[in-house]
Amino acid sequence: MKTKQTLMAALVAVASATSAQAQCLTDAQAADLVANYVAKTPAANPENLTDADGACTRGKVNALLAQRMGKVIGYKAGLTNPAVQKRFNTDKPVWGKLYEGMVLPSGATVDAAFGARPLYEADMLVRVKSAAINQAITPMDVLDAVDQIIPFIELPDLMVQAPPKLNGAGVTAINVGARLGVAGAPIAVPAYRGERFAMLKALADMNVSLTDGTGARLGGGKGSDILDHPLNAVVWLAGALAQEGLAMQPGDLISLGSFSALLPPKAGLSVTATYDGLPGATPVRLSFK
């Protein structure tokens, strides 16, 4: 009898602990998150989320963002750099949606307070040419299905009261902090396969640097810092989207992730990203006011 009582007590304790864990944010909580996003004020941290909770919350947040921001223009793969994964206590990437108006031209001037928790990082975009990208299993498959490689400084917004407490599921819940970015001149993917192999190698071997207006280095990394090859971010994304019944479309822009640490902007700072070793890549620039 005592054993049965002990077992029942254990089950009650487990049930209580489970019910105390956070789940997918409610509709009201998701609405509050989006209201904070729009107001550029820090939102309450979504805590103790499972991966499924994070994905569920992201769905609710994106449904509300779509009402305000309109057309989805692509996706961003986040936490694709092991160093950034470590910061958010996870071992796998996450994804969010990009909306109209998020991508600005090189040379743009952006308010240093462009979000609640604004940051900047060296990134890269690709533009989808073919729906075959959704079946990509190698970087070459990706290169065959895109028509542009685009230098990019992403301007994410971690948007919560305590960003250091975010884990991978929490980053998912906030749509991976998608806010803004500055795109440079596109590089056309070459038509001939031999040239594509050369581009593939250059993307892995390139040195990406962020510098300020005096030329001082702010951060950077190698192409291979993203999942051993930056186009592996798209391979991962294709699989992740398929699991949720989604797919990339021709014309979509895909953000690959960070080649640098996430850095805080400040008024008066000018930032340049360069992609040394990638033929045809020109610097992308922005200024903070």
Side-chain angles (χ1 to χ4, degrees), residues 47-127:
E47 296 185 347
N48 303 318
L49 302 183
T50 66
D51 289 345
D53 295 335
C56 171
T57 300
R58 179 190 55 213
K60 292 184 177 185
V61 166
N62 274 313
L64 294 169
L65 287 176
Q67 294 174 17
R68 291 179 172 274
M69 305 185 70
K71 182 182 176 184
V72 174
I73 61 166
Y75 298 89
K76 64 170 290 187
L79 310 188
T80 53
N81 185 320
V84 181
Q85 288 177 0
K86 186 175 180 181
R87 172 175 172 175
F88 292 99
N89 195 31
T90 188
D91 60 357
K92 52 184 174 291
V94 294
W95 65 266
K97 291 183 176 181
L98 301 176
Y99 291 90
E100 267 184 319
M102 284 187 169
V103 179
L104 308 174
S106 182
T109 298
V110 179
D111 193 330
F114 62 81
R117 293 285 188 258
L119 296 161
Y120 68 94
E121 63 185 27
D123 197 333
M124 178 170 276
L125 298 171
V126 297
R127 190 175 74 173

Side-chain angles (χ1 to χ4, degrees), residues 104-176:
L104 308 174
S106 182
T109 298
V110 179
D111 193 330
F114 62 81
R117 293 285 188 258
L119 296 161
Y120 68 94
E121 63 185 27
D123 197 333
M124 178 170 276
L125 298 171
V126 297
R127 190 175 74 173
V128 176
K129 176 181 69 175
S130 164
I133 199 166
N134 296 294
Q135 285 75 51
I137 57 173
T138 68
M140 181 57 89
D141 292 340
V142 175
L143 199 60
D144 287 343
V146 301
D147 58 4
Q148 291 181 353
I149 307 289
I150 308 169
F152 187 54
I153 300 174
E154 200 205 345
L155 305 174
D157 178 8
L158 291 183
M159 72 173 282
V160 296
Q161 292 167 3
K165 293 184 178 180
L166 285 171
N167 61 8
V171 174
T172 293
I174 62 170
N175 194 38
V176 198

